Amino acid sequence: MQTLIENVNIVNPFEEVKTNQNVLIEDNLIKEISSSKIKADNVIDGEDNYLLAGFIDCHTHIFAKGFHKEENMANPLGLHFYNAVPHALQTVNAGVTTIRDCGSADLSFKLAQQKKLFTAPKIHLSITPLVMTGGHFDLFLPSGWDMEIIYPGFPKGRCDGVEEVLKKTREVKRAGADFIKVMASGGVLTTNTSPEFAQFNKKELKTIVNEAKATNMKVSAHCHSLKGMNNCIDAGFSSIEHGTFIDRKTSQKMADKNVSLVATLLVHQFLAKNGFPKWDSYAAEKTAKLKEIVKVHKENISVAYEEGVNILMGTDSGVIPHGHNLEELIHLTDIGMSADEAISSGTVKAAEFLGFDNLGLVRKNYIADLILVNSNPLDDVSVLSNNDNILKVIQDGLVVK
């Protein structure tokens, strides 16, 4: 199958905009790019708009709708899956064609997307995060109720000690994970944990990494804690998520060891502005922790950027409503990134991190995951934050918006 997109301006980070171009897609690949006429049966008039690669959100929770424990208890399990359908559409409509899910989605979503059962981003799965007893995302409450969602094919994430983390890593791999996610510090959303404290010890972390690397899998750490970040870097983790309390020395260490940072700046700003539902009985505790995080997060991520850490675009969508994904780019430029750098962090740099050498650019023989935008985002990256400005989304050569 061939599709031709005529009369577009091609935007790739760190390149001059190529005006009045025609892009021929064959099956799921870009077959030809030319300023000359190209013949094809299926033609889309780009109307002098701007064509760039579809975005990759490196930190989402596509099944999640706020992680409210009360809803886990009240709702039938099936709703957990049905939520993913509108979330997926909202994500695609925002210009995101691939996501890296950091906990909650299972293999069923990946298979459904591949079978085109509904409009959805392609997905890299972590299945469920590994969490120590009493740690961030241990949802066993003082009441004795365990609020963690569990069902066949979706293992419980709680584990302690070298033998348990080894087995749990293997269980998550068996369930279909593409990478391993570890809760290596306290967090905002879980009661009785605090973001500044490290979780899991060095032997446990190293065991997880060794087992993951046995099958060439990367390991990612939810981590706000400075000590926790250093433990994970030393253990061989590939990325740190959030990185709230990072400092200059740790940033230099990350840059030297090629450990990426998914800063998720949007989520804290969004929650600080919009808060939690009134019926959330833990809202006051979470809001207090959030205020501390918002105060230092932007400043510290700016330091990481200055020290050359590879920063990737991620939003923590699912903690906040889906469909706001490219607002993250505004926050990345606020810490000092150029528009080219911000766009690159969610396209070609993210693709490279996921292991692709043919994704994230509008280039011949690259995968045809593309978005058509009504103005040049290199002039003003904020245009991407308005979904109405994203006129078309193409995934694997097919128009999905």
Side-chain angles (χ1 to χ4, degrees), residues 25-306:
I25 299 167
E26 188 170 294
D27 297 325
N28 71 327
L29 296 178
I30 298 172
K31 187 73 172 178
E32 185 179 353
I33 300 174
S34 177
S35 58
S36 302
K37 283 288 186 181
I38 302 173
K39 289 185 178 180
D41 292 333
N42 184 31
V43 179
I44 297 171
D45 186 356
E47 299 180 341
D48 200 33
N49 289 302
Y50 293 80
L51 189 72
L52 61 157
F55 280 82
I56 300 168
D57 190 331
C58 288
H59 192 123
T60 67
H61 304 277
I62 199 68
F63 279 26
K65 197 175 183 180
F67 288 105
H68 302 300
K69 303 176 189 68
E70 293 86 347
E71 290 190 343
N72 290 358
M73 182 180 227
N75 292 333
L77 179 61
L79 194 59
H80 182 61
F81 301 94
Y82 289 127
N83 279 335
V85 177
H87 297 168
L89 182 60
Q90 289 162 347
T91 302
V92 167
N93 286 344
V96 174
T97 49
T98 299
I99 58 173
R100 176 172 169 263
D101 192 275
C102 287
S104 75
D106 68 359
L107 187 58
S108 68
F109 184 95
K110 186 173 186 176
L111 296 176
Q113 189 281 324
Q114 291 172 347
K115 292 175 182 291
K116 310 298 183 188
L117 297 183
F118 52 89
T119 301
K122 291 178 278 189
I123 190 168
H124 286 248
L125 292 166
S126 66
I127 306 294
T128 192
L130 276 57
V131 51
M132 72 178 200
T133 297
H136 180 51
F137 235 68
D138 179 359
L139 302 183
F140 190 94
L141 303 183
S143 63
W145 287 100
D146 191 344
M147 308 302 289
E148 185 174 0
I149 294 174
I150 182 169
Y151 50 89
F154 193 83
K156 184 178 285 289
R158 191 185 304 131
C159 52
D160 301 285
V162 167
E163 294 300 323
E164 283 192 14
V165 300
L166 175 62
K167 184 174 182 179
K168 191 59 61 177
T169 303
R170 290 174 176 170
E171 286 181 1
V172 171
K173 288 166 68 173
R174 180 179 64 188
D178 299 302
F179 69 102
I180 304 299
K181 166 81 177 295
V182 181
M183 298 303 198
S185 82
V188 175
L189 296 182
T190 304
T191 56
N192 302 320
T193 72
S194 190
E196 70 268 27
F197 296 124
Q199 296 181 356
F200 286 114
N201 61 43
K202 292 182 179 181
K203 287 184 178 179
E204 292 168 325
L205 296 172
K206 189 64 178 175
T207 298
I208 295 165
V209 170
N210 287 342
E211 179 56 32
K213 287 188 174 180
T215 48
N216 296 321
M217 293 174 70
K218 292 181 176 180
V219 186
S220 160
H222 155 100
C223 201
H224 300 286
S225 159
L226 187 61
K227 180 180 179 181
M229 281 184 260
N230 280 282
N231 288 347
C232 291
I233 295 164
D234 292 342
F237 278 54
S238 298
S239 71
I240 301 295
E241 317 291 310
H242 315 307
T244 301
F245 298 116
I246 195 168
D247 63 4
R248 195 169 297 278
K249 183 178 179 180
T250 302
S251 298
Q252 293 167 350
K253 188 175 178 180
M254 285 183 69
D256 290 344
K257 292 181 176 288
N258 195 30
V259 179
S260 296
L261 174 62
V262 186
T264 65
L265 292 157
L266 170 65
V267 63
H268 297 144
Q269 300 287 344
F270 191 98
L271 289 174
K273 180 179 178 181
N274 295 283
F276 300 93
K278 290 181 179 179
W279 53 260
D280 187 338
S281 55
Y282 297 100
E285 180 181 338
K286 290 188 285 191
T287 299
K289 287 188 284 186
L290 184 65
K291 286 180 179 178
E292 178 184 5
I293 284 178
V294 168
K295 188 167 56 178
V296 299
H297 193 196
K298 178 181 174 182
E299 180 180 332
N300 291 344
I301 300 302
S302 297
V303 169
Y305 167 70
E306 291 168 4

Side-chain angles (χ1 to χ4, degrees), residues 366-394:
Y366 271 54
I367 294 170
D369 288 356
L370 307 165
I371 63 173
L372 189 67
V373 184
N374 64 7
S375 56
N376 186 357
L378 295 179
D379 293 335
D380 180 6
V381 77
S382 70
V383 302
L384 294 168
S385 67
N386 184 342
N387 296 352
D388 291 338
N389 294 333
I390 298 169
L391 306 176
K392 289 188 184 298
V393 177
I394 296 168

